[in-house]
Amino acid sequence: IKFNVFAYNVQPGIEIDYSTGESRLVGEEIVESETEDEYTENKHGITYILNTQSKKFHLGTCGHAEGIKEEHRESFNGSENWLIDNGYEPCGVCLKEFVLNDIKIYVDDKIREVTESNNCTKESVEELLINLEENEYIQAGSIEYDEDTEMFTFIYDDGALGGITLNEWKPDMN
């Protein structure tokens, strides 16, 4: 006796993404989740110093990291997300530096979007910088432009100097 049963992989109101194996309600928005590599990868190349007793993590330059007893001290090269999801939190001194670093990354990403676009002009960069200034990502009144070098300079919110040389982004005219 040969007996075949066909079980269709169908349920009313459910969609299945066969490439990932994920399912969702029909019409539900697809939310991209981090891959394991993105979740554990250290995107900034920072080695964190962990205090396994207090569950705090520090930048290597943090003075508080120097006082951690050897039996509670550990180096970590993974992501901040992994640390936070595993019960760690940044020390109070380092937290400000993390926030300021995130602001710099945001500003740099916005600048890169404009400069890598096909219509990168002095005006488009100036408009972006003014918008970043209005939203307090860069210091008010710090935007300057030098016609000779075709360079904008500005000051990040933490006081660091930033700049964009426009002639680097011009297409090769030869």
Side-chain angles (χ1 to χ4, degrees):
I1 295 178
K2 196 172 197 182
F3 186 68
N4 292 321
V5 175
F6 295 96
Y8 296 100
N9 201 2
V10 177
Q11 171 145 0
I14 302 293
E15 292 177 338
I16 299 171
D17 182 345
Y18 291 99
S19 63
T20 64
E22 294 180 6
S23 62
R24 65 181 174 280
L25 295 174
V26 172
E28 187 176 74
E29 186 178 325
I30 299 172
V31 178
E32 296 292 325
S33 60
E34 289 182 306
T35 65
E36 186 66 25
D37 287 345
E38 290 170 332
Y39 177 67
T40 59
E41 178 185 323
N42 184 326
K43 294 179 179 107
H44 307 297
I46 299 170
T47 297
Y48 298 105
I49 308 301
L50 308 182
N51 184 327
T52 57
Q53 182 180 31
S54 70
K55 298 292 245 182
K56 299 274 186 189
F57 64 96
H58 306 263
L59 295 170
T61 56
C62 179
H64 293 278
E66 295 171 9
I68 299 172
K69 292 181 181 178
E70 201 58 43
E71 64 264 22
H72 304 298
R73 183 185 184 92
E74 198 174 298
S75 292
F76 180 77
N77 291 315
S79 75
E80 293 170 24
N81 289 344
W82 187 93
L83 285 169
I84 291 166
D85 288 350
N86 284 277
Y88 284 88
E89 59 184 41
C91 95
V93 174
C94 296
L95 182 59
K96 182 177 180 184
E97 196 163 333
F98 285 123
V99 170
L100 292 174
N101 189 44
D102 285 347
I103 289 172
K104 282 183 187 174
I105 292 167
Y106 175 79
V107 169
D108 292 348
D109 284 348
K110 290 297 182 189
I111 290 170
R112 193 173 301 105
E113 284 176 20
V114 170
T115 57
E116 290 179 357
S117 72
N118 290 335
N119 55 358
C120 177
T121 63
K122 174 188 173 198
E123 291 76 23
S124 64
V125 172
E126 185 173 34
E127 181 181 325
L128 170 67
L129 292 174
I130 290 169
N131 180 277
L132 291 168
E133 179 184 58
E134 289 170 352
N135 288 292
E136 300 180 356
Y137 291 109
I138 60 177
Q139 289 185 9
S142 70
I143 302 168
E144 294 185 21
Y145 182 72
D146 183 316
E147 289 285 342
D148 294 333
T149 60
E150 294 184 288
M151 182 174 188
F152 278 101
T153 58
F154 58 90
I155 300 174
Y156 290 95
D157 195 44
D158 70 347
L161 182 64
I164 308 161
T165 303
L166 294 179
N167 58 17
E168 291 177 11
W169 307 106
K170 288 182 180 175
D172 188 8
M173 298 300 197
N174 295 331

